[in-house]
């Protein structure tokens, strides 16, 4: 299972070797200044916005890789039956959302708290994920 870590001024997602092969990419690295909101979602399928772009998605088993939508791209590494930690990013970041499955709800909440403390410009105005922007 992928790990989310804070390394210096960056948030890094380190997938396992098989996840890297399934996602068709290596680690995901974004600056902590790009993080605008961190939430936990118990329903893994709520991650699935847009359409599959690259990686592997087997319905009911795993979805890992990138998904595209009108607002940009998301990186997901989620599984059914596991809560996911959602990291919303500002438009300047390479992705709009990072979603990574956790083993259980307490682990997901603990990770979300750590990320909120580490990111310098968290938007705490709402405790839930924001909708996609509507194209102009």
């Amino acid at each position: 299972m992928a790990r989310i870590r804070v390394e210096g001024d960056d948030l890094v997602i380190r997938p396992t070797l098989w996840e890297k092969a399934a996602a068709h990419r290596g680690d995901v690295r974004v600056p902590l200044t790009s993080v605008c909101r961190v939430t936990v979602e118990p329903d893994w399928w709520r991650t699935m916005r847009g359409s599959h772009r690259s990686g592997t998605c087997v319905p009911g088993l795993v979805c890992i890789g990138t998904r595209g939508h009108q607002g940009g791209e998301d990186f997901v590494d989620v599984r059914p039956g596991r809560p996911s930690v959602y990291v919303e990013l500002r438009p300047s970041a390479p992705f709009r959302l990072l979603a990574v499955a956790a083993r259980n709800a307490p682990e997901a909440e603990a990770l979300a708290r750590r990320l909120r403390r580490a990111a310098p410009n968290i938007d705490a105005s709402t405790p839930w994920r924001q909708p996609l922007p509507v194209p102009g």
Side-chain angles (χ1 to χ4, degrees), residues 62-83:
V62 66
C63 190
I64 179 170
T66 58
R67 298 187 64 84
H69 49 76
Q70 74 267 17
E73 281 192 333
D74 297 342
F75 177 80
V76 298
D77 184 349
V78 296
R79 288 161 186 74
R82 294 184 184 221

Side-chain angles (χ1 to χ4, degrees), residues 26-48:
D27 296 346
V28 174
R29 181 179 291 270
V30 296
L32 279 171
T33 55
S34 295
V35 175
C36 64
R37 186 174 291 108
V38 180
T39 58
V40 174
E41 177 61 57
D43 298 320
W44 71 280
W45 56 268
R46 291 181 189 238
T47 303
M48 302 302 127

Side-chain angles (χ1 to χ4, degrees), residues 10-105:
D10 292 337
L11 181 144
V12 181
I13 296 177
R14 293 200 183 277
T16 63
L17 188 57
W18 81 264
E19 288 172 325
K20 287 179 182 182
H24 303 156
R25 67 171 299 126
D27 296 346
V28 174
R29 181 179 291 270
V30 296
L32 279 171
T33 55
S34 295
V35 175
C36 64
R37 186 174 291 108
V38 180
T39 58
V40 174
E41 177 61 57
D43 298 320
W44 71 280
W45 56 268
R46 291 181 189 238
T47 303
M48 302 302 127
R49 57 187 197 177
S51 60
H52 177 75
R53 289 247 172 106
S54 71
T56 303
C57 195
V58 180
L61 184 62
V62 66
C63 190
I64 179 170
T66 58
R67 298 187 64 84
H69 49 76
Q70 74 267 17
E73 281 192 333
D74 297 342
F75 177 80
V76 298
D77 184 349
V78 296
R79 288 161 186 74
R82 294 184 184 221
S84 297
V85 176
Y86 292 84
V87 180
E88 286 184 70
L89 303 171
R90 291 185 168 75
S92 59
F95 296 104
R96 294 303 307 263
L97 175 79
L98 306 173
V100 178
R103 285 181 173 74
N104 53 48

